[in-house]
Amino acid sequence: MRLTYFGHSCFLVEVLPAALSAGASATAEAPAKAGARLVLDPFFTDNPLAPCRASDIECDYVLCTHGHDDHICDALEISQRNHATIIANFEIAEYFAAQGARTHGLNPGGGCNFPFGRVKLTLAFHSSSSIENGRITYLGEPCGLLIEAGGKKLYDAGDTALFSDMQLIGRGGLDAALLPIGDNFTMGPADALDALDYLKPRTCVPIHYNTWPVIQQDAGKFAADAAARGHKVIALKPGETLAI
């Protein structure tokens, strides 16, 4: 599994076929699951950190944690151009389905198997809506994403506060966790350190920070503070790729 960071909370996740990612060959008895390209929380338009445009993105699936514009604003365009399925909570899925997108709706606690692996929605403590013509449209409950694919397990916390049930999400092990550290709208570095104690991922990538002044944070300090507590944090710059 490879993660490419586009700034804010937006990623491309490239899933290798499970058997190949484990270094083995697929057989008729044990075929490899299909590889795939997943875009998480697509925010390219008006994202000052994005190293590319939405029109540059090629993918098979679009996954959204909640309905705020800085997480879904390019979902429809990317989905329709790539014939990609949008995976999100039920309300977001129906919202985009009504506009002609191919979608799959889930709700917190529910998961589904896809050709590349499994996606499960977790709890998140935040809000979820879109503002259109000055009116707020409710877009369901905010969620985290638990993605199991290519022999790896990735947790995208989305926008959330700290909550103690994160220790349940981490049971069974996590290869990587994407955690917000920006504060104001989400948990900040101090709470994210406690989240790491609950989740215990092999690697953490901080998200949702430094996009605007109100969420300015020192990711290097967060990484150092995490290391002092026994956690590995890699702060990616926009455009950088991490293999997990």
Side-chain angles (χ1 to χ4, degrees):
M1 183 183 285
R2 288 190 295 263
L3 310 179
T4 300
Y5 186 45
F6 297 123
H8 201 58
S9 300
C10 182
F11 287 83
L12 173 68
V13 178
E14 296 174 278
V15 179
L16 298 175
L20 299 181
S21 65
S25 298
T27 67
E29 293 76 19
K33 287 187 177 179
R37 293 164 60 89
L38 324 176
V39 172
L40 310 184
D41 284 346
F43 175 42
F44 297 92
T45 303
D46 297 327
N47 178 355
L49 302 179
C52 59
R53 298 172 298 179
S55 58
D56 299 322
I57 300 301
E58 297 181 356
C59 67
D60 305 293
Y61 296 86
V62 177
L63 282 63
C64 302
T65 60
H66 63 290
H68 289 156
D69 286 347
D70 57 327
H71 295 259
I72 69 166
C73 73
D74 294 304
L76 184 63
E77 187 274 326
I78 292 173
S79 168
Q80 292 184 325
R81 180 169 47 79
N82 288 280
H83 306 288
T85 299
I86 296 175
I87 302 172
N89 72 32
F90 178 79
E91 285 81 4
I92 292 174
E94 291 299 298
Y95 173 76
F96 284 125
Q99 299 177 67
R102 178 185 304 166
T103 68
H104 185 103
L106 298 165
N107 264 324
C112 186
N113 294 328
F114 296 92
F116 64 87
R118 182 170 178 82
V119 177
K120 180 179 180 179
L121 297 191
T122 73
L123 295 176
F125 287 84
H126 193 58
S127 56
S128 178
S129 61
S130 180
I131 300 177
E132 301 173 350
N133 299 318
R135 301 185 64 180
I136 294 178
T137 300
Y138 169 71
L139 289 177
E141 295 294 319
C143 301
L145 303 168
L146 192 59
I147 302 169
E148 297 183 63
K152 301 296 182 181
K153 187 181 290 187
L154 170 67
Y155 170 53
D156 180 355
D159 284 10
T160 190
L162 175 69
F163 57 99
S164 61
D165 278 3
M166 284 181 172
Q167 58 196 313
L168 300 178
I169 295 171
R171 64 187 173 183
L174 296 171
D175 292 289
L178 312 178
L179 296 182
I181 65 167
D183 207 8
N184 195 79
F185 301 112
T186 69
M187 61 183 173
D191 282 350
L193 290 175
D194 290 338
L196 287 174
D197 289 341
Y198 284 143
L199 293 163
K200 297 179 173 60
R202 292 183 177 87
T203 302
C204 169
V205 178
I207 61 174
H208 207 277
Y209 70 99
N210 290 359
T211 317
W212 305 288
V214 72
I215 56 172
Q216 197 75 21
Q217 297 290 350
D218 185 342
K221 183 179 185 304
F222 172 64
D225 291 344
R229 289 167 68 161
H231 303 294
K232 178 182 178 182
V233 169
I234 298 177
L236 294 177
K237 296 178 181 178
E240 289 186 337
T241 296
L242 173 68
I244 63 170

